[in-house]
């Protein structure tokens, strides 16, 4: 295992003991380099999932496909980047629609390529019922200017039950369309 990756994983393991209910991170790599880190926790009434992206990488909004099709208005495209998808199973059940930050427009209209997403980090949230343990299945895509990496991972959430006031400022998020 490359030293950079090993050091990162060791620091994440140490941090998880004081991370305030956050899951251990799920790490996405490409050719031994870290692309992104996902983690989750229950915060007030919400399940919160964060993704932190390495410099040069970006990922896509949960409603990327819908936004792209709206902009294409029936015209054909060379392709559409895969949206972020998060499925929840186990002791937690979603109790409403997902929220996400307002995505950045990565579109290239001259190529009829429409894409919306995030650089550096993004937060996805949904109201939940029940209690962890739970399993999250995260699917999507992360890209640089020259390459893309499909994301298909499981993120276990060992503990947490909805209740109380959220630390997350949901007013900064928008509903997934």
């Amino acid at each position: 295992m490359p030293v950079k990756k090993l050091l990162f994983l060791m620091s994440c393991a140490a941090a998880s003991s004081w991370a305030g209910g956050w899951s251990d991170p799920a790490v996405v790599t490409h050719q031994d380099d870290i692309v992104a880190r996902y983690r989750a926790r229950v915060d007030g009434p919400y399940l919160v999932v964060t993704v932190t992206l390495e410099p040069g990488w970006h990922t896509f909004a949960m409603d990327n496909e819908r936004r792209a099709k709206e902009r294409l208005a029936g015209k054909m495209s060379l392709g559409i980047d895969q949206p972020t998808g998060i499925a929840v199973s186990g002791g937690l059940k979603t109790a409403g629609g997902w929220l996400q930050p307002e995505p950045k427009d990565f579109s290239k209209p001259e190529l009829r390529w429409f894409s919306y997403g995030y650089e550096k980090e993004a937060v996805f949230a949904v109201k939940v019922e029940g209690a962890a343990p739970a399993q999250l299945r995260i699917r999507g895509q992360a890209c640089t200017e020259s390459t893309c990496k499909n994301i298909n991972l499981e993120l276990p959430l060992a503990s947490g039950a909805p209740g109380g006031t959220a630390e997350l400022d949901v007013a900064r998020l928008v509903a997934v369309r």
Side-chain angles (χ1 to χ4, degrees):
M1 178 178 296
V3 173
K4 183 165 89 172
K5 185 176 177 182
L6 181 62
L7 289 173
F8 170 77
L9 293 174
M10 287 172 50
S11 68
C12 288
S16 68
S17 65
W18 54 266
W22 287 103
S23 67
D24 288 335
V27 179
V28 178
T29 61
H30 177 68
Q31 298 178 346
D32 292 329
D33 291 326
I34 295 172
V35 171
R37 294 173 301 281
Y38 289 84
R39 62 185 189 149
R41 75 175 181 165
V42 176
D43 180 18
Y46 297 97
L47 169 64
V48 177
V49 179
T50 65
V51 56
T52 304
L53 298 145
E54 289 299 308
W57 288 91
H58 58 271
T59 194
F60 302 97
M62 293 182 98
D63 52 10
N64 185 60
E65 186 173 350
R66 181 175 180 157
R67 289 171 183 264
K69 286 181 179 180
E70 287 171 358
R71 288 282 303 274
L72 285 165
K75 295 179 183 172
M76 295 300 293
S77 175
L78 295 174
I80 297 174
D81 295 302
Q82 292 181 32
T84 297
I86 304 170
V88 181
S89 62
L92 290 174
K93 307 289 182 234
T94 60
W98 282 93
L99 303 170
Q100 65 185 0
E102 185 65 46
K104 179 178 179 178
D105 189 343
F106 298 128
S107 300
K108 297 177 182 173
E110 67 280 5
L111 300 176
R112 274 191 284 156
W113 190 280
F114 298 98
S115 191
Y116 306 87
Y118 311 101
E119 298 172 309
K120 297 180 184 169
E121 82 173 350
V123 177
F124 304 99
V126 65
K127 284 189 175 182
V128 290
E129 300 171 339
Q135 188 76 16
L136 282 61
R137 164 71 73 181
I138 302 171
R139 300 187 80 145
Q141 193 175 42
C143 297
T144 66
E145 287 298 318
S146 59
T147 192
C148 286
K149 168 74 176 175
N150 287 334
I151 296 168
N152 183 8
L153 58 88
E154 291 185 13
L155 180 61
L157 182 60
S159 64
T165 303
E167 290 178 24
L168 175 68
D169 182 5
V170 294
R172 296 181 23 195
L173 303 177
V174 297
V176 172
R177 301 192 304 196

